[in-house]
Amino acid sequence: MAHDTFLDRPTTTSRTSFGELQLLVLYRDASAAFAFFRVDPERAAAVLADVPVSPARFGTGTAVAVLAAYDYRDTSIGPYREVASALAVVPRGVAAPTLALLHLLRESAHEDVGWYVLDLPVTTGVANAGGRELYGLAKFETDIVVELAEAQVNAVVLAPTGEGPSVALEGRLAAGIPVGTMDLVVYSVLDRELLRTVVEARGRLHTGLGRALTLHVGGSDHPMARRLAALGLDGARPFVAQVCLEYRAVLNAPTAFRSLRTAGRARARGRVAKAG
């Protein structure tokens, strides 16, 4: 059998408040689930008001949110669990593509449609510090349950204050088809700079309708719960969902997309020109 070179990557060492961390981060053995929801674009824009991205609009005119749950059993920074809530976005100043879905799903990642992560709870200090300090991701440390079978999802984020479940995605996928994983483009902000990170992924996703899955929001006043509720997702059912039981990934180092100061000056010049 030919040697699988996907995870054969050079790494460098970066320092965080938790200690040294190796980049790239390699995910050798994991399970993952993804649930996709239609969202009112005005609600999405309101949640994104303070960041330099805008919600991408899809064929029906809606925005799209995802809740992703990961059980990382073997990684280069140790085992941990993670749940991400994100919106499909386009950086401000970049022309929105006509066929946003094709840009989101295509294998080659370009600087247009990607995911802006709203909240990213994790279960270990090193994952928390690395994500916040090196990537600008909205991570926080808490207890998380991720139980995945081929068509079964149970993902629960407990409130850090101990008030009980903050977010829960539970239920089954409908019968579906296997499809290959796609690479992800993730946008974040660190020190007033928009960052772009590519996550390369490998695995087969059981993909089906998500009508038997439900996202429950509540039980605490945590910001993650408030943001999901503001998007209208409490009690929502995804239009499609995916589960991968043999997931591998490479989290690349972030790269600067553009300076927010530069973007702010450009917007100011635009307003002056329009006024003139």
Side-chain angles (χ1 to χ4, degrees), residues 138-159:
K139 290 198 173 187
F140 61 93
E141 189 175 353
T142 191
D143 292 329
I144 297 172
V145 175
V146 178
E147 298 172 335
L148 305 176
E150 183 174 350
Q152 184 75 34
V153 177
N154 179 38
V156 180
V157 178
L158 299 177

Side-chain angles (χ1 to χ4, degrees), residues 37-40 43 217 226-236:
F37 302 85
R38 295 184 179 91
V39 175
D40 177 84
R43 287 177 177 258
V217 179
R226 292 201 302 269
R227 272 185 278 271
L228 290 171
L231 290 171
L233 292 178
D234 186 19

Side-chain angles (χ1 to χ4, degrees), residues 203-221:
R204 301 294 290 177
L205 293 155
H206 173 94
T207 303
L209 299 177
R211 291 180 300 226
L213 281 167
T214 306
L215 177 59
H216 301 284
V217 179
S220 77
D221 192 36

Side-chain angles (χ1 to χ4, degrees), residues 178-201:
V179 299
T181 54
M182 62 180 177
D183 296 345
L184 304 175
V185 173
V186 175
Y187 292 109
S188 58
V189 175
L190 180 64
D191 296 332
R192 294 187 56 79
E193 191 166 54
L194 183 64
L195 301 182
R196 175 179 177 273
T197 303
V198 177
V199 182
E200 301 172 60

